[in-house]
Amino acid sequence: MSQEPTAAERQRIAFDLLKNEARTAHREGDGLRVIHLCETCLQEVARLVKSEKLTLHLTELQWAFIFQLYWLLHTTPLGLVRDVLRQIPKRDEADQRIFTTLETYFFLIEQPLLGGDQTFERLTAIAPSSFGDDFQPESAELVTHLIELAWFNLVSDDRWRNMAAEWSEKGPDWVKKVIGPVEERLMLQTRLTVPSKRHPPFSADAATSLRKISDLAELWVLQLNGQNELLLARIKQLSPRLSPDAYQWRLMADFWHMNRLFGGGDSQSVWLARRRQMTTKFPVLFFHDRRELRIRELLGEVYRRRGPGSAHQRWGILQLAMLHELAALRIWDFGMWREAVQAQSEALLEASQWMDAMPELTAQGLVAGVRAIAIQSPEKDFLVQSAVQHLEFASEQVLQSLTEDLLWTYPTQGHTAAELFEVVSDLVPAASWVELAEWTVGYAVRSRSGHQWGSKINPLEHWIDIVPSLEATSDAWKILAPEVISLGRISHCWRGKDRQLIYSWLAWAPIVLARDLGQALVDVTATDLGDSFFRAQLICSVEGDRTELGKSFSTELFLQARLPEERLLLAQHLNDPSVAGLTNEVHERSARAIRNALQTAAPAADAQTFSFGTFVPGLNVLKKWHGSEDLVRELITTINSPNVLQDWLPWLLSTLQILVADGPASFSEIVKPELGNWAKKLPRGRTIVGDVQGPFSIIQSKGVSAGDVSGMLGWLCLQVLRQLKSSAHDEVKAWLKQTVLNGDVEPMGVAFYVSVLLASQLSEDAISPVLATADAVLLTLRTRMSDSLEARSTLADALWYIAGITRRQTSEFVDWQSPIGTLVLAWLIQLLRDYAPILARAPHPRVRAAFAAVLWNLSQWSALSEILVSSAEQLKRDQRARVRFEAYGGWKEKRKNSTEQANQSIDSTT
């Protein structure tokens, strides 16, 4: 007759049953079943501990803790694991050893942002003997997961390998057999997932050598190197070898889908349906899909709450995303790895909105986003915008680390890195500019080869803010020169944003390299007359600013110019006698072109076809407009026409402003009565289809805003004020008052500028209301710049306008030495003093650069207060190269110093 088992034996039998079931589910990848069994076990253990009836040792129950943490899906069970682990009795030394190990295991999962030193300290406290003398599945997973977690936190300096070596040497024999393959895999994956100078990326040529580790490793290398055709060919070779029941089918299908443009394949909808079907077929993939879904749920909660108070959710995202990344690397799932790293990036970037310290975490989030190919252009991603702001005052060590991580990227990640460099390039420490130049050339080459996701016409775009600050002896000039010359040969790069880089190169490069670029521009046969005109404009501008270039390039262009406006521009620059005749011709052509545009700008009410925009190059060339009063009246009539199209208003007002600026006072007299009317009621024009916008509109088109129109009207007020002075004061005041009342950001930069100029023309007893208006404008921009890109840009513009009128004590616009000018200057300096702490630490580099320019200009002829002197010195040490450049005097000061150095060199040679 069998003996009834004792309570202790029944307890062991029951828990062994759960353990065996959990082991089987773990082996099959059924994480959801493992979690159910582990939580059942831990709940029962907690009950038995509370009633003091638990008879088992911790070593006998460790499986529940290990598997629960290994398959963590929700962070709520962490509390249960922590409480049970602390409460369970430690009956002997073995229990105490495994308790220390499990406590460390728990801590590493609970703290995904743990520093390297703390991680290493915790790991060194683990006794290798705690893993047990005999191999157990859960013990093997514990060792594996601990090594993976050590790698996650210590990958930068390889200290995780120290732990692997120590445990292999001092632990039981089976530990070494477990650690060996894990260490080999992680060493390889270090170069794939976190490449650096210490662990350089694999080249595409190295792909075949990785087959001995995993066939999927080869696919990772080909994918990251952008070798699309080779990748698809290799998938075709591997497919026949796979078992029909292997989950690797889904992993390879992901690769195929990402590269379907090169090898064909199913449509997006068909592929997604098949992927879901594959996922449900394999428990391990289904579990990972559920974990991804949970991460997204937590991210959604954080975004909805939008505030610093969602710490629990943020920790949950980072904990699960860390485990998800390690699980992805374990099975070589590239798509899953990207999802996990992207989640870590999003969590860190979202948190950066609410952090004043720890910019290293923000940098980590940006780098993770680049590696996951998940970072969008900052103009489209508010998280990236706020992250970059958080880095503005980071230490050089943080910026150096960020730079190195971005430079050591794979080809498919290169375009994402370039997008980020576009907004952080001049935060790159000057010591790394040569390395950045080498990376840029490689990026340009890969852009042309098609081995990266995305490309740019101008791969040098991120150098725009660095070039003016490059030392003449820097190797970066020679490294970049071939790419700059290639860019200069592209005719549409002579206009728009790309033109700025070409100008900077011509202005600042060593003279030989500048002349090489100039000759490359001149040698291009421009088929578009507009492009040719902008090239001439660019050459004339830089030859005027950099006299040592001479005028050979403009002379050569003059001989081949076909457009009369281009010939006039060049003739003026070269003081050619043909200027008079060309001026008459261009005047007639321009007036005719403007009148033709007026017909298009205000078509009949029943018109069915429309066109927008026109280019009248004469507006940029003619220095004097005389005898065109009728043209001015026609422009006014068109602006007031009920048929005028809204999208034409900026051009019409801009054209009118140019005519007033370059014409006689009679033009201003004609315009003045309209200013008061337009200030009270802005021209609005009519739309063709109405604004297309709203949260459910796929195409977003807002057309021309009231702020845009008001801004153009402000520039017109400025020209009328310049011409008519006191007789236009009432009209200008009316526009200023209405601008402040309307509250639109767009015109506030010019409103601040006009307020200062207007005040300098008034009597002492009349300036207070105008200066109060300027105060109100600046305060509005200051309060709105934290949440409005437009406000930041407008505030910077306002400061740049002030920088323009503070270069000299006396100019056409204002005489700072006059009695009223002295009063306005005192007000301006006091205003700058009040705002100095804010402007010098504004998290927007354009604002700081403009403020630096204002301070430098004022310091050349006016004494600055102590706080402004301190601000100026602070800006000279700014992390942004563009800010330092302006704080040291900008292009004029650098040009003066460059000329003096050149003269000294000539003198010493003589």
Side-chain angles (χ1 to χ4, degrees):
M1 183 176 177
S2 61
Q3 187 175 358
E4 183 73 18
T6 65
E9 290 172 335
R10 286 199 301 272
Q11 199 175 108
R12 178 170 281 104
I13 291 170
F15 281 113
D16 281 348
L17 176 63
L18 289 174
K19 178 174 67 176
N20 291 332
E21 289 289 324
R23 285 177 173 178
T24 300
H26 173 78
R27 187 171 57 253
E28 294 173 351
D30 192 348
L32 296 178
R33 179 163 170 74
V34 173
I35 290 172
H36 171 65
L37 293 166
C38 289
E39 291 196 16
T40 300
C41 172
L42 292 174
Q43 292 282 1
E44 183 61 16
V45 169
R47 186 186 68 79
L48 291 170
V49 168
K50 187 175 182 180
S51 61
E52 299 183 352
K53 294 181 179 179
L54 182 68
T55 61
L56 299 183
H57 286 246
L58 176 58
T59 52
E60 297 174 281
L61 297 169
Q62 62 175 304
W63 63 270
F65 297 95
I66 295 169
F67 286 148
Q68 177 70 284
L69 293 173
Y70 185 97
W71 291 100
L72 194 66
L73 179 60
H74 289 262
T75 55
T76 304
L78 286 175
L80 175 64
V81 172
R82 181 198 302 110
D83 293 342
V84 176
L85 185 59
R86 289 175 179 173
Q87 295 166 8
I88 196 169
K90 288 74 176 175
R91 303 181 188 278
D92 53 26
E93 289 185 9
D95 275 1
Q96 188 59 51
R97 286 196 297 269
I98 194 60
F99 168 75
T100 301
T101 301
L102 292 176
E103 190 177 44
T104 298
Y105 182 33
F106 175 87
F107 186 76
L108 293 179
I109 291 175
E110 187 186 41
Q111 300 292 329
L113 298 179
L114 198 62
D117 291 338
Q118 286 182 283
T119 301
F120 192 72
E121 183 181 345
R122 286 274 182 165
L123 289 168
T124 53
I126 292 177
S129 59
S130 67
F131 301 135
D133 294 334
D134 299 324
F135 174 86
Q136 301 289 343
E138 57 272 17
S139 299
E141 295 298 10
L142 174 62
V143 172
T144 297
H145 219 192
L146 281 170
I147 291 295
E148 290 173 339
L149 290 165
W151 171 86
F152 184 86
N153 288 287
L154 301 170
V155 66
S156 60
D157 57 12
D158 283 344
R159 278 188 290 173
W160 66 276
R161 296 190 66 192
N162 297 344
M163 302 312 308
E166 181 178 345
W167 293 349
S168 295
E169 179 184 348
K170 299 180 179 179
D173 291 341
W174 65 266
V175 171
K176 185 174 183 178
K177 296 177 182 177
V178 169
I179 287 179
V182 175
E183 183 177 10
E184 184 180 23
R185 169 174 65 82
L186 290 175
M187 287 172 59
L188 185 154
Q189 289 174 331
T190 299
R191 296 177 64 183
L192 288 172
T193 61
V194 282
S196 62
K197 190 172 185 177
R198 184 172 186 158
H199 307 107
F202 287 108
S203 67
D205 296 335
T208 54
S209 66
L210 303 186
R211 292 178 184 175
K212 62 182 180 181
I213 305 296
S214 168
D215 287 325
L216 289 169
E218 179 185 6
L219 300 186
W220 275 57
V221 172
L222 294 175
Q223 177 68 40
L224 289 167
N225 278 284
Q227 299 294 327
N228 315 98
E229 294 85 355
L230 291 176
L231 175 67
L232 296 177
R234 182 59 180 156
I235 290 175
K236 290 178 181 178
Q237 293 173 356
L238 291 174
S239 296
R241 304 182 192 176
L242 287 180
S243 164
D245 295 327
Y247 69 82
Q248 285 88 349
W249 276 109
R250 218 256 359 239
L251 276 53
M252 289 202 299
D254 281 347
F255 281 119
W256 188 278
H257 183 65
M258 283 185 277
N259 296 277
R260 66 189 183 281
L261 295 178
F262 301 91
D266 296 320
S267 67
Q268 179 86 342
S269 56
V270 171
W271 157 246
L272 289 176
R274 181 177 292 119
R275 191 180 193 278
R276 293 189 194 100
Q277 188 274 331
M278 287 181 176
T279 297
T280 57
K281 187 176 180 181
F282 302 105
V284 66
L285 298 183
F286 183 76
F287 174 82
H288 291 151
D289 204 49
R290 294 298 304 172
R291 186 186 267 161
E292 273 181 25
L293 180 61
R294 179 56 186 159
I295 292 171
R296 288 293 154 192
E297 287 174 351
L298 289 171
L299 279 168
E301 289 181 30
V302 170
Y303 289 140
R304 284 194 299 274
R305 296 186 180 192
R306 189 157 175 76
S310 302
H312 178 74
Q313 287 79 5
R314 292 189 187 93
W315 281 114
I317 295 164
L318 292 170
Q319 289 159 355
L320 295 179
M322 174 182 67
L323 295 175
H324 206 51
E325 179 182 2
L326 297 178
L329 295 176
R330 210 173 297 130
I331 64 173
W332 291 97
D333 190 330
F334 184 78
M336 178 178 159
W337 170 76
R338 280 187 60 202
E339 289 283 347
V341 176
Q342 180 179 353
Q344 295 171 51
S345 171
E346 282 193 45
L348 292 173
L349 296 184
E350 189 280 332
S352 73
Q353 299 175 95
W354 324 109
M355 292 192 299
D356 294 325
M358 297 186 293
E360 63 275 9
L361 293 183
T362 301
Q364 181 182 333
L366 289 170
V367 171
V370 168
R371 287 171 177 159
I373 321 175
I375 289 285
Q376 294 191 55
S377 172
E379 290 80 12
K380 303 175 183 176
D381 192 331
F382 76 94
L383 288 183
V384 179
Q385 291 172 22
S386 64
V388 172
Q389 290 179 33
H390 193 212
L391 288 176
E392 290 292 338
F393 304 104
S395 68
E396 186 161 339
Q397 181 181 357
V398 169
L399 296 176
Q400 184 63 43
S401 177
L402 170 66
T403 300
E404 291 174 0
D405 286 338
L406 294 179
L407 293 178
W408 290 97
T409 47
Y410 277 93
T412 54
Q413 300 161 337
H415 183 66
T416 313
E419 292 270 296
L420 186 56
F421 271 133
E422 191 177 331
V423 291
V424 302
S425 60
D426 64 327
L427 278 173
V428 171
S432 297
W433 285 352
V434 171
E435 290 178 83
L436 178 60
E438 292 169 343
W439 180 89
T440 301
V441 171
Y443 167 70
V445 172
R446 291 190 296 270
S447 290
R448 292 189 287 270
S449 69
H451 290 157
Q452 61 189 15
W453 290 4
S455 61
K456 292 183 177 185
I457 293 174
N458 178 7
L460 305 156
E461 193 170 1
H462 50 272
W463 279 89
I464 289 174
D465 293 314
I466 300 178
V467 165
S469 298
L470 265 180
E471 294 291 339
T473 56
S474 174
D475 291 339
W477 293 112
K478 291 182 180 179
I479 295 170
L480 293 171
E483 290 299 328
V484 174
I485 288 176
S486 296
L487 184 72
R489 292 189 176 120
I490 302 173
S491 60
H492 59 256
C493 290
W494 302 338
R495 58 172 93 194
K497 190 176 181 180
D498 299 328
R499 162 197 184 99
Q500 189 176 346
L501 178 67
I502 295 175
Y503 171 85
S504 290
W505 189 275
L506 290 168
W508 304 118
I511 191 65
V512 173
L513 298 179
R515 286 189 174 126
D516 287 345
L517 176 59
Q519 194 59 54
L521 264 68
V522 170
D523 288 345
V524 175
T525 301
T527 56
D528 183 280
L529 295 180
D531 288 341
S532 183
F533 174 81
F534 281 109
R535 173 179 58 181
Q537 198 177 53
L538 178 62
I539 291 294
C540 290
S541 176
V542 79
E543 284 183 349
D545 289 337
R546 189 173 188 178
T547 55
E548 61 263 41
L549 280 175
K551 294 187 176 181
S552 60
F553 299 134
S554 53
T555 301
E556 192 170 343
L557 288 177
F558 185 57
L559 296 175
Q560 64 189 43
R562 291 173 290 162
L563 192 69
E565 287 82 358
E566 181 181 353
R567 290 184 60 79
L568 174 58
L569 174 69
L570 292 162
Q572 291 170 342
H573 178 65
L574 297 168
N575 295 318
D576 190 84
S578 62
V579 168
L582 285 168
T583 297
N584 292 332
E585 181 183 359
V586 170
H587 189 283
E588 292 177 6
R589 284 169 52 87
S590 299
R592 186 164 56 250
I594 292 171
R595 286 191 167 96
N596 290 337
L598 296 183
Q599 298 299 315
T600 308
D606 58 352
Q608 298 297 311
T609 59
F610 308 94
S611 62
F612 299 94
T614 187
F615 174 52
V616 182
L619 290 170
N620 301 297
V621 179
L622 290 172
K623 295 182 178 180
K624 296 292 181 183
W625 280 84
H626 292 286
S628 299
E629 283 79 1
D630 288 344
L631 185 58
V632 171
R633 293 187 181 94
E634 289 172 42
L635 276 162
I636 292 172
T637 300
T638 303
I639 292 169
N640 289 330
S641 170
N643 291 331
V644 67
L645 300 178
Q646 186 185 81
D647 288 343
W648 273 91
L649 284 173
W651 184 88
L652 293 169
L653 288 166
S654 174
T655 301
L656 183 58
Q657 184 249 138
I658 291 172
L659 265 60
V660 170
D662 297 331
S666 59
F667 288 11
S668 294
E669 294 288 359
I670 296 171
V671 171
K672 189 180 77 165
E674 300 299 328
L675 289 181
N677 297 330
W678 289 338
K680 295 173 185 175
K681 185 178 181 181
L682 287 174
R684 293 297 296 150
R686 64 187 177 105
T687 59
I688 306 305
V689 294
D691 289 352
V692 181
Q693 54 185 316
F696 299 108
S697 177
I698 296 174
I699 298 175
Q700 297 282 319
S701 174
K702 295 191 296 184
V704 177
S705 70
D708 295 329
V709 175
S710 182
M712 297 308 303
L713 187 57
W715 287 111
L716 185 57
C717 285
L718 172 67
Q719 299 304 337
V720 173
L721 179 65
R722 183 176 64 86
Q723 293 262 12
L724 303 183
K725 294 187 169 51
S726 61
S727 66
H729 286 179
D730 290 342
E731 288 75 15
V732 174
K733 288 178 183 176
W735 174 77
L736 286 171
K737 178 182 178 181
Q738 200 60 45
T739 297
V740 174
L741 290 175
N742 290 342
D744 295 316
V745 166
E746 294 88 342
M748 286 191 175
V750 67
F752 184 76
Y753 184 39
V754 169
S755 297
V756 175
L757 296 181
L758 176 60
S760 70
Q761 295 183 7
L762 297 172
S763 60
E764 182 177 346
D765 58 351
I767 64 172
S768 295
V770 175
L771 295 182
T773 298
D775 281 329
V777 167
L778 198 62
L779 180 61
T780 300
L781 293 175
R782 155 68 185 93
T783 54
R784 295 182 61 179
M785 73 173 180
S786 60
D787 59 359
S788 168
L789 281 173
E790 190 70 43
R792 299 166 204 165
S793 178
T794 304
L795 176 58
D797 289 342
L799 292 171
W800 278 118
Y801 302 149
I802 298 303
I805 57 172
T806 52
R807 288 196 182 105
R808 293 183 297 274
Q809 278 187 286
T810 304
S811 68
E812 175 192 2
F813 291 98
V814 61
D815 180 3
W816 297 110
Q817 292 178 304
S818 68
I820 192 65
T822 304
L823 289 175
V824 176
L825 177 62
W827 164 85
L828 177 62
I829 290 177
Q830 182 60 50
L831 188 71
L832 294 174
R833 283 186 59 192
D834 294 342
Y835 279 86
I838 297 169
L839 298 178
R841 296 287 295 178
H844 318 294
R846 281 194 71 236
V847 173
R848 299 201 306 278
F851 183 48
V854 173
L855 294 184
W856 171 269
N857 290 343
L858 286 171
S859 71
Q860 301 308 293
W861 52 267
S862 177
L864 298 183
S865 64
E866 184 178 343
I867 188 171
L868 292 181
V869 170
S870 175
S871 295
E873 291 302 313
Q874 177 182 330
L875 293 167
K876 288 179 180 178
R877 300 187 301 273
D878 197 276
Q879 298 288 29
R880 289 275 188 180
R882 78 184 83 169
V883 179
R884 298 194 301 271
F885 181 72
E886 298 299 337
Y888 277 102
W891 71 269
K892 284 195 172 182
E893 189 66 16
K894 181 170 181 177
R895 175 63 59 226
K896 183 180 76 172
N897 293 337
S898 300
T899 303
E900 289 175 356
Q901 292 171 5
N903 292 338
Q904 290 171 3
S905 177
I906 292 171
D907 292 342
S908 63
T909 303
T910 304

